[in-house]
């Protein structure tokens, strides 16, 4: 059991530092044409640093004239391109290109690169004696008050809360759950994959004190073999959400037998989660 905890901690701490490095030249890019880097890094007020943002546009964006819902995601190095990913990519672009071709879903995805050694504090809204002072509020404020207005001004988005979602895994899952609770007027949907609640003990009381609007949709995902406390923690949080009076049909708790804490797992679950989160009429 202790070995499982140490492996999970190593993944949380090592992944961002490696993911932020320049990829080896021999590793080919797997990003599809809809993926691009924003040309300039964006200032993060309150954190005294800048950040690279990666953008996915649907296949018909250039010619459609339509406006699109927007999904904000963390750890962008791992979303679209095996050349920049720590341990394989989520295949967000492949999944959404396929859904677009099938006529089922079209989204703009805004991916925020992780902050390497700052990742574990940026994605946590609560201080942790082991990992450091929380920067999650400032990071979330950056998304809501700086990045989102910029994206809405530059691209054909549907900017209302009903068309705005946030998603991430591990520390990014924790950050996504915090974001929808802190800013329910901005986000109406959250994909909370493999959330690292164990790094943020106060998160349970916070979520209990910040019940979501009845129409907010929260997708809680966990693998059965992710770590010692991961499954009990997500079950506990699902209970907190349920006790707050949130409708059962607006929350998913999915625990996948045999699944571990990695991008292959999250990639395989992405399609189902997105179709549920953006179900017409939701």
């Amino acid at each position: 059991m202790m070995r499982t905890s140490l492996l999970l901690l190593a993944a949380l701490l090592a992944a961002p530092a490696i993911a932020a490095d320049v990829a080896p030249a021999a590793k080919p890019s797997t990003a599809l044409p809809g993926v691009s880097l924003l040309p300039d890094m964006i200032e993060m007020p309150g954190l005294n640093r800048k950040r690279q943002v990666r953008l996915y546009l649907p296949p018909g964006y250039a010619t459609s004239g339509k406006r699109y819902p927007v999904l904000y995601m963390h750890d962008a190095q791992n979303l679209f391109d095996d050349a920049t990913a720590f341990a394989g990519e989520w295949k967000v672009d492949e999944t959404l290109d396929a859904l677009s071709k099938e006529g089922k879903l079209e989204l703009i995805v805004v991916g925020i690169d992780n902050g390497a050694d700052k990742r574990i504090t940026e994605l946590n809204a609560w201080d942790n004696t082991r990992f450091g002072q929380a920067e999650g509020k400032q990071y979330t404020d950056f998304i809501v008050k700086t990045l989102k207005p910029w994206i809405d001004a530059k691209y054909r988005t549907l900017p209302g809360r009903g068309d705005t979602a946030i998603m991430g895994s591990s520390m990014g899952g924790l950050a996504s759950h915090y974001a929808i609770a802190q800013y329910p007027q901005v986000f109406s949907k959250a994909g909370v994959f493999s959330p690292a609640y164990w790094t943020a003990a106060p998160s349970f009381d916070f979520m209990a004190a910040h019940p979501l609007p009845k129409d907010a949709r929260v997708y809680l995902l966990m693998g059965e073999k992710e770590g010692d406390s991961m499954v009990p923690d997500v079950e506990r949080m699902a209970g907190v959400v349920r006790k707050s009076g949130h409708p059962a049909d607006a929350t998913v708790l999915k625990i996948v037998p045999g699944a571990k804490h990695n991008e292959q797992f999250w990639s395989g679950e992405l399609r189902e989660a997105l179709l549920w989160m953006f179900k017409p009429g939701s």
Side-chain angles (χ1 to χ4, degrees), residues 114-129:
N114 65 56
D117 60 327
K118 300 292 186 182
R119 177 179 183 265
I120 204 163
T121 52
E122 282 185 359
L123 296 179
N124 198 337
W126 297 276
D127 293 344
N128 184 295
T129 54

Side-chain angles (χ1 to χ4, degrees), residues 19 27-32 35 54 56 73-96 169 262-270:
K27 198 172 184 183
S29 174
T30 58
L32 297 182
V35 177
R54 301 168 196 260
Y56 166 85
M73 298 187 73
H74 318 286
D75 294 321
Q77 297 100 319
N78 299 338
L79 301 179
F80 310 112
D81 195 342
D82 200 46
T84 60
F86 165 61
E89 54 149 320
W90 281 55
K91 300 185 184 297
V92 172
D93 44 346
E94 288 89 348
T95 299
L96 282 171
S169 63
N262 56 52
E263 280 74 14
Q264 183 179 3
F265 169 43
W266 304 320
S267 172
E269 296 293 328
L270 181 62

